């Protein structure tokens, strides 16, 4: 058997100690007591005697030794015909042939640190009762650990698997440490990790198969590299899962995987397809700062809490299908077309970047599993109790909305200030906004009622901060400090942009509400000239900015009533004029001049002037004034000025009422 060169002097009694020539020179194999040589260099009789002295379950120490499977034959348990070892020390050992530990029972610690398996290493169905240490081990051929049971910690730190590594149906009861390990082709299908599974900085050069694996503790894949397909389909992660800074060069398959703890995919790079179809997350899932080069389709996935996509970059066209309680997309960047199909979620798009057309729609029906049972829906058990399937956007601050399309989205709490090109946003379906307080409020013994209209959440926040605010205006949620700096000056342009967006989509009736909001903000903006605000206040009081027909009609009726009363009381003369003709005969010509006396102001009692005859005459004056015509009625000086005033104001009020009605029914 070959000897292993010694780069350093070992700290155990070794075979080559003091030997300068021959096979033993430089051999670091552990000396077999009471002999000075290691098992590989014992003479034939001494080796046979040593092996014959061993019993199943004995402790063995063959550090640095190069040997074959003769040792395991000597340690075979006669009741099971399988090797049984106590403390087994194989540090720096070299297995020159196939190492067959199949069904071996390691009752003590098993230490293979720095060992080298030059051919295949078979550990199928082996049992490690205590710690199994394979740190920095090199497996040149196949490493077979199928159905192995690790009751203690399993340590493969910096191990190298040059051939296939099979852990099919393996059970890891304690910690499984594969940090910085290198895998050419890894198979952990249906493996069970009861303790923490450490694969931090592990490198999988080809496929990594974890399908149907169970991780009962923490699954740590931080900074791991997956060069081939990473198959975690139907895997179960019961504890926290960390793929932070991992790299998936091939397909990352998490189809139907379940995550009971927090899942961290932050700063992960997905160069290939990222398949999370029917994946379920009970707690938060964090993709913050991750990169999806060509995801194609992400989901449908279900999250019982928050999905973090903040800082994520999508390099290609993508469709995201997500059912979650909350979705955060701060500074998320879409570098190609994208479609978001959402259920239940409150979504925050603050400062997100949409470089190409982007559609966000609320899905009413459950998502369907495209590769599962035909017609089966993706289960939403983790978000049971969520009210309805509606989707709410809570912020579009800092977003360029030129390419944004929203369909059936609840915008009741959405913050729009700071949104760029808001006038180009498209709102499809039933997009709802906040409304003003519905019932009549009392302030300083005066009733105050707001006509129903669509409004912005930020107007609610601003009005709720005013000293004269009435109940019903919603306050800003905690943590939104920017809301305190938003006032009428910032809200007027937002209302104007949304009005234009509705008008461009030929939705004039709904655009009217945002015109009303714009005028309200201008009226309350103290930075505007006082004269402008006074004019707007009059416009609001008379007709609600030309949008409140009832208000204009009421003022018209009041004006007509006032004109009618003034005309009856002071506008009509005391008596109607009776023409008198005075004739004179002079030769053959007859002149018949008619003199019209000036109208005489009535002098009788006021109640006597309220007669039917005077009412009829006054009504004729009022009606003709409304339609801007002269009544040809004799009037006193007071009546003449009253008619002039009514002919100026009443047609205007009538026009405002007609304008308000037209604004609500215009197509």
């Amino acid at each position: 058997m070959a000897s292993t060169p010694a780069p350093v002097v070992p700290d155990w009694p070794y075979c080559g100690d003091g030997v300068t020539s021959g096979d033993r020179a430089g051999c670091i194999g552990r000396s077999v007591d009471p002999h000075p040589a290691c098992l590989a260099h014992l003479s034939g009789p001494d080796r046979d005697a040593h092996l014959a002295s061993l019993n199943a379950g004995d402790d063995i120490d063959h550090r640095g030794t190069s040997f074959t499977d003769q040792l395991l034959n000597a340690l075979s348990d006669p009741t099971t015909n399988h090797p049984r070892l106590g403390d087994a020390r194989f540090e720096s050992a070299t297995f020159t042939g196939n190492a067959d530990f199949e069904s071996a029972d390691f009752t003590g610690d098993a230490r293979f640190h720095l060992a080298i398996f030059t051919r295949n290493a078979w550990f199928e169905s082996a049992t490690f009762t205590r710690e199994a240490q394979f740190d920095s081990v090199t497996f040149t051929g196949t490493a077979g650990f199928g159905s192995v049971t690790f009751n203690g910690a399993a340590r493969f730190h910096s191990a190298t698997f040059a051939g296939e590594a099979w852990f099919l149906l393996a059970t890891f009861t304690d910690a499984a440490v594969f940090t910085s390990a290198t895998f050419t082709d890894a198979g952990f299908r249906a493996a069970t990790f009861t303790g923490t599974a450490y694969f931090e900085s592990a490198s999988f050069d080809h496929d990594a198969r974890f399908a149907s694996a169970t991780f009962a503790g923490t699954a740590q894949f931080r900074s791991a590299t997956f060069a081939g397909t990473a198959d975690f389909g139907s895997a179960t992660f019961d504890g926290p899962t960390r793929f932070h800074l991992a790299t998936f060069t091939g397909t990352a398959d998490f189809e139907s995987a379940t995550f009971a703890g927090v899942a961290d995919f932050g700063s992960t790079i997905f160069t290939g397809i990222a398949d999370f179809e029917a994946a379920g997350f009970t707690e938060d899932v964090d993709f913050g700062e991750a990169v999806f080069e060509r995801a194609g389709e992400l989901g449908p996935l279900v999250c019982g809490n928050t999905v973090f996509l903040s800082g994520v970059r999508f390099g290609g066209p993508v469709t995201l299908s997500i059912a979650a309680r909350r979705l955060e997309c701060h500074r998320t960047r879409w570098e190609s077309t994208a479609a978001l199909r959402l259920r239940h979620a409150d979504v925050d798009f603050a400062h997100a970047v949409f470089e190409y057309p982007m559609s966000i729609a609320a899905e009413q029906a459950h998502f369907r599993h495209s590769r599962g049972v035909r017609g089966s829906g993706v289960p939403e058990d983790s978000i049971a109790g969520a009210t309805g399937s509606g989707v709410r956007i809570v912020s579009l601050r800092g977003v360029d909305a030129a390419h944004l399309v929203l369909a059936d989205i609840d915008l009741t709490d959405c913050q729009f200030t700071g949104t760029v090109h808001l006038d180009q946003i498209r709102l499809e379906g039933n997009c709802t906004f906040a409304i003003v307080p519905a019932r009549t409020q009392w302030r300083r013994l005066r009733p105050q009622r707001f006509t129903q209209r669509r409004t912005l959440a930020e107007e609610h926040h601003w009005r709720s901060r005013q000293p004269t605010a009435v109940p019903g205006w919603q306050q800003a949620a905690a943590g939104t400090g920017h809301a305190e700096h938003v006032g009428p000056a910032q809200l007027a342009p937002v209302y104007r942009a949304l009005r234009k967006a509705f008008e461009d989509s030929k939705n004039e009736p709904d655009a009217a509400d945002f015109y009303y909001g714009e005028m309200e903000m201008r009226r309350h903006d103290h930075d505007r000239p006082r004269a402008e605000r006074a004019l707007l206040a009059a416009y609001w009081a008379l007709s609600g900015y030309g949008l409140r027909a009832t208000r204009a009609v009421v003022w018209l009726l009041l004006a007509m009533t006032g004109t009618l009363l003034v005309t009856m009381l002071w506008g009509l003369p005391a008596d109607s004029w009776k023409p008198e003709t005075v004739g004179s005969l002079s030769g053959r010509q007859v002149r018949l001049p008619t003199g019209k006396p000036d109208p005489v102001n009535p002098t009788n009692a006021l109640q006597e002037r309220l007669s039917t005859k005077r009412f009829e005459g006054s009504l004729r004056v009022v009606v003709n004034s409304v339609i801007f015509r002269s009544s040809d009625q004799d009037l006193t000086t007071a009546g003449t000025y009253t008619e002039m005033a009514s002919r100026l104001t009443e047609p205007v009020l009538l026009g405002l009422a007609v304008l308000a009605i037209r604004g609500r029914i215009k197509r």
Side-chain angles (χ1 to χ4, degrees), residues 400-412:
D400 187 340
H403 303 294
L404 184 58
V405 179
L406 306 180
D408 300 319
I409 301 297
D410 184 354
L411 300 171
T412 301

Side-chain angles (χ1 to χ4, degrees), residues 247-293:
T247 300
F248 293 87
T249 304
T251 298
D253 185 359
F254 289 88
E255 179 183 351
S256 300
T258 57
F259 299 80
V262 174
D264 180 9
F265 290 86
S267 300
T268 299
I269 298 176
F270 297 90
T271 304
I273 295 174
D275 185 0
F276 285 85
E277 181 170 6
F281 300 85
T282 303
E283 300 294 335
D284 295 341
V285 53
D286 186 1
F287 291 95
E289 307 294 334
V291 176
F292 294 86
E293 292 291 351

Side-chain angles (χ1 to χ4, degrees), residues 428-467:
E428 306 288 347
N430 182 26
C431 291
T432 57
F433 289 82
I435 58 175
V436 299
R439 59 186 184 276
T440 301
Q441 307 288 343
W442 290 85
R443 182 166 63 91
R444 297 178 181 177
L445 302 179
R446 290 184 303 169
Q448 189 171 13
R449 182 179 182 275
F450 297 93
T451 305
Q452 289 302 294
R453 62 178 173 92
R454 295 173 181 82
T455 185
L456 300 180
E458 287 135 315
E459 181 180 346
H460 272 262
H461 303 161
W462 170 73
R463 288 187 182 272
S464 68
R465 299 195 304 269
Q466 305 310 303

